[in-house]
Amino acid sequence: MQFRDSVSIYLQIADYICEKILLKEWKVDERVPSVRELAMQLEVNPNTVMRTYEFLQQQNIIYNQRGIGYFVGTDAIKNATQYRKTEFMDNELPVLFRNMYMLGMDVEELKPRFEKYKKQNFS
Amino acid sequence: MQFRDSVSIYLQIADYICEKILLKEWKVDERVPSVRELAMQLEVNPNTVMRTYEFLQQQNIIYNQRGIGYFVGTDAIKNATQYRKTEFMDNELPVLFRNMYMLGMDVEELKPRFEKYKKQNFS
Amino acid sequence: MQFRDSVSIYLQIADYICEKILLKEWKVDERVPSVRELAMQLEVNPNTVMRTYEFLQQQNIIYNQRGIGYFVGTDAIKNATQYRKTEFMDNELPVLFRNMYMLGMDVEELKPRFEKYKKQNFS
Amino acid sequence: MQFRDSVSIYLQIADYICEKILLKEWKVDERVPSVRELAMQLEVNPNTVMRTYEFLQQQNIIYNQRGIGYFVGTDAIKNATQYRKTEFMDNELPVLFRNMYMLGMDVEELKPRFEKYKKQNFS
DNA sequence: GTGGTCTAGACCACC
DNA sequence: GTGGTCTAGACCACA
């Protein structure tokens, strides 16, 4: 995994996990990787992953069973959507709109492309 | 300026210059900063800026007068739009669409937000 | 400050701060000690105090102004009361009741003593 | 057993033994564990336990038969109650009252909770 | 093995 | 100066 410099690593890991959940790769009550495991895989310090998991637990996206591990929460999809949507609106939309304005584009132009994208990738 | 790791720096500088032109901060036939000047300002090697300018000249976005400097080209806006639009469609739209799909969002949702954005920032 | 072994240090520090607020020693919008300052005073690692402050911010008991410091929140008393009351009910009451049962005491016995205590200490 | 730092260990062991007696786990004239045995179990120095037993003998809570061991005294319950009650009043009540004052609580609030506690744990 | 807490020490951005 | 993040490494309780 490649980390951007502009955002905290632990939040980027949170996004990574939310994506796994939102794309249904990780299902409700399924175990997520252990702190140490994910830390090793992403080549970060276990404390950093711990921080991500604490954060996601707070957002009711994952829950914990002591001595066993972290699991995808019951309302994970709802809560992950809400969390990521806020982030998306605040951070990504302005960049998008700026580009669209610069390029003289309209929202209408996106419509058919979005349909095409969904057909190609998720069906 | 903050550079991402994923794209060549000289292309990121090209984007930066295109933005200046598309947002009408730099007008047709106006002189763009000298290679040394921009290199110093962006804290990169002059060779990198040189590469950007050669690239933009190829795209007919800027032109060169030997011994004097580089200038915004006559059709700069048209050509910059075309160049950036290709990039936007190929690189940024897929990321956007992936997020929108994950979050269960529709293009329609963007419409009023885009209007609001334009009103707030460019009027 | 003396720390018990049974509870996390960062939570004991949280209790300490809640007491300061509940006993009106620290007022709303007043600055609390800086992370480093309190860490030095309590002879713990700054990270531990940082953790306390993050926790208390989450509970809406203190808030943060970047580069300036942490401050007592508007609803600090309400939120601190709620937080500490839960803790009190769950952890301290059972110990109290166990002792009272062992000693054959009744709640009624406490009544006049509590009045006396309040008169002596807070008036 | 977990020892607090603030009180002598031998007194904490005395409390432990009083509890056993007050909760009727150890009956009158029953033999209490030998000094060595209890020291091993609690992982303390036998001298410390010896000190506890001497102290409790002074309080007429246990008595000694040389060469045989220590036994729960005839008036153990009365004397243990008296001993523990003094301690409770002097040390634990002030802490309790301080918390109740801070949290704006009243003795009345404790009444139904105490009843519930007794029902759940001792019936 | 799991998570949870703590220390030491570093570097950063903001004020 | 302030907080915020990250690493490295340690030790603990729980299972």
mmCIF file of all heavy atoms in Angstrom, chain A residues 51 54 58, chain C residues 51 54 58:
data_model
loop_
_atom_site.group_PDB
_atom_site.id
_atom_site.type_symbol
_atom_site.label_atom_id
_atom_site.label_comp_id
_atom_site.label_asym_id
_atom_site.label_seq_id
_atom_site.Cartn_x
_atom_site.Cartn_y
_atom_site.Cartn_z
ATOM 1 N N ARG A 51 -4.342 2.238 16.337
ATOM 2 C CA ARG A 51 -5.045 3.515 16.321
ATOM 3 C C ARG A 51 -6.188 3.503 15.313
ATOM 4 O O ARG A 51 -7.272 4.013 15.586
ATOM 5 C CB ARG A 51 -4.046 4.612 15.952
ATOM 6 C CG ARG A 51 -4.394 5.879 16.620
ATOM 7 C CD ARG A 51 -3.289 6.875 16.522
ATOM 8 N NE ARG A 51 -3.797 8.170 16.885
ATOM 9 C CZ ARG A 51 -3.149 9.293 16.670
ATOM 10 N NH1 ARG A 51 -1.947 9.251 16.129
ATOM 11 N NH2 ARG A 51 -3.676 10.437 17.020
ATOM 12 N N GLU A 54 -9.017 1.422 16.835
ATOM 13 C CA GLU A 54 -9.707 2.189 17.876
ATOM 14 C C GLU A 54 -10.660 3.195 17.241
ATOM 15 O O GLU A 54 -11.794 3.350 17.663
ATOM 16 C CB GLU A 54 -8.691 2.950 18.743
ATOM 17 C CG GLU A 54 -8.274 2.200 19.994
ATOM 18 C CD GLU A 54 -7.122 2.902 20.704
ATOM 19 O OE1 GLU A 54 -6.797 4.052 20.351
ATOM 20 O OE2 GLU A 54 -6.543 2.292 21.625
ATOM 21 N N GLN A 58 -14.835 3.218 17.389
ATOM 22 C CA GLN A 58 -15.557 4.413 17.804
ATOM 23 C C GLN A 58 -16.666 4.760 16.822
ATOM 24 O O GLN A 58 -17.718 5.236 17.202
ATOM 25 C CB GLN A 58 -14.575 5.565 17.783
ATOM 26 C CG GLN A 58 -14.603 6.465 18.940
ATOM 27 C CD GLN A 58 -13.414 7.387 18.777
ATOM 28 O OE1 GLN A 58 -13.354 8.184 17.857
ATOM 29 N NE2 GLN A 58 -12.456 7.228 19.642
ATOM 30 N N ARG C 51 -3.260 10.846 25.122
ATOM 31 C CA ARG C 51 -4.343 9.883 25.039
ATOM 32 C C ARG C 51 -5.513 10.301 25.933
ATOM 33 O O ARG C 51 -6.675 10.187 25.553
ATOM 34 C CB ARG C 51 -3.808 8.525 25.487
ATOM 35 C CG ARG C 51 -4.506 7.427 24.792
ATOM 36 C CD ARG C 51 -3.816 6.130 24.993
ATOM 37 N NE ARG C 51 -4.695 5.081 24.554
ATOM 38 C CZ ARG C 51 -4.505 3.806 24.823
ATOM 39 N NH1 ARG C 51 -3.429 3.447 25.492
ATOM 40 N NH2 ARG C 51 -5.345 2.914 24.403
ATOM 41 N N GLU C 54 -7.310 13.188 24.177
ATOM 42 C CA GLU C 54 -8.117 12.683 23.057
ATOM 43 C C GLU C 54 -9.405 12.068 23.586
ATOM 44 O O GLU C 54 -10.486 12.302 23.052
ATOM 45 C CB GLU C 54 -7.339 11.614 22.274
ATOM 46 C CG GLU C 54 -6.570 12.161 21.097
ATOM 47 C CD GLU C 54 -5.657 11.103 20.482
ATOM 48 O OE1 GLU C 54 -5.778 9.914 20.864
ATOM 49 O OE2 GLU C 54 -4.821 11.458 19.639
ATOM 50 N N GLN C 58 -13.303 13.435 23.020
ATOM 51 C CA GLN C 58 -14.349 12.560 22.527
ATOM 52 C C GLN C 58 -15.595 12.623 23.399
ATOM 53 O O GLN C 58 -16.704 12.517 22.905
ATOM 54 C CB GLN C 58 -13.810 11.147 22.630
ATOM 55 C CG GLN C 58 -14.004 10.292 21.451
ATOM 56 C CD GLN C 58 -13.224 9.032 21.729
ATOM 57 O OE1 GLN C 58 -13.485 8.297 22.673
ATOM 58 N NE2 GLN C 58 -12.241 8.799 20.923
#
